[in-house]
Amino acid sequence: MNDKEEVDPFEQLVRAFLAKQRIAIWGVEETRGDPGKMVVGKFRKRGVEVIEVNPKFEHDPENQRSTSLAKIEPAVEAVLIYVDPDQTMAAVEECVEARTPLVWLHDALSAGSATEEAIDRLRSAGCTVIPGLCPMFFLKPVDPAHFCLKWFLRYNGKEERTRSHLEA
């Protein structure tokens, strides 16, 4: 890329999120095969401090786990909401209450957190929103599964629809 080419707004937000050094992932599960654990692991390998948040957890700062964003001290720089639509607004309200400046609403193959209601609520509270897709599509090196999934979502129009939410 030369100096005259501009990075599109979606890529700018992704880069801003990936540059954070202290984030929370809201919705990580206890189960061994939870894909959220893979996301946590990839960020931690990059040296990012990741706090796993789930209301079902015990608050345990030593193991970087919390029941709520409100209990995390100091506050995180950004949050990835990694839940199904029925849990999204609880996570969104926590982000609003914690005044989280940057929120990524995960949404890839299945219906994820990037609902219109969530996007509107976060924006109305002054949060910057990444309205869909997955950080694993951008964390280098991208694993083969996420590389193929990103290509598929680009092919079927999901990536373009996600990017269109930035202009809304």
Side-chain angles (χ1 to χ4, degrees), residues 1 5 10 13-14 24 38 44 52 67 75 103-104 107 157 162:
M1 174 181 291
E5 287 184 48
F10 188 83
L13 290 176
V14 167
M38 182 171 50
R44 286 182 177 159
E52 301 173 29
T67 58
V103 179
W104 191 320
D107 185 9
T162 297

Side-chain angles (χ1 to χ4, degrees), residues 27-37 52-60 65-67:
V28 176
E29 296 286 338
E30 294 269 18
T31 59
R32 187 176 189 161
D34 176 45
K37 293 280 193 193
E52 301 173 29
V53 179
N54 188 316
K56 298 175 190 170
F57 288 169
E58 300 243 350
H59 183 67
D60 185 0
R65 295 172 62 142
S66 184
T67 58

Side-chain angles (χ1 to χ4, degrees), residues 81-93 103-108 110-124 129-133 158 161-162 165-166 168:
I81 297 180
Y82 197 82
V83 296
D84 292 328
D86 62 331
Q87 300 170 297
T88 297
M89 291 313 294
V92 164
E93 289 306 324
V103 179
W104 191 320
L105 297 167
H106 181 273
D107 185 9
S110 62
S113 337
T115 64
E116 292 295 329
E117 181 182 15
I119 294 166
D120 292 346
R121 175 67 178 119
L122 288 164
R123 285 183 177 152
S124 71
V129 180
I130 300 175
L133 299 181
K158 175 102 179 209
R161 287 189 301 277
T162 297
H165 283 291
L166 290 180

Side-chain angles (χ1 to χ4, degrees), residues 17 23-29 34 36-41 43 50-54 57 66 69 72 76 78-82 135:
F17 191 95
I23 67 169
I25 300 181
W26 207 104
V28 176
E29 296 286 338
D34 176 45
K37 293 280 193 193
M38 182 171 50
V39 180
V40 169
F43 273 104
V50 180
I51 294 88
E52 301 173 29
V53 179
N54 188 316
F57 288 169
S66 184
L69 293 174
I72 299 172
V76 295
V79 173
L80 168 63
I81 297 180
Y82 197 82

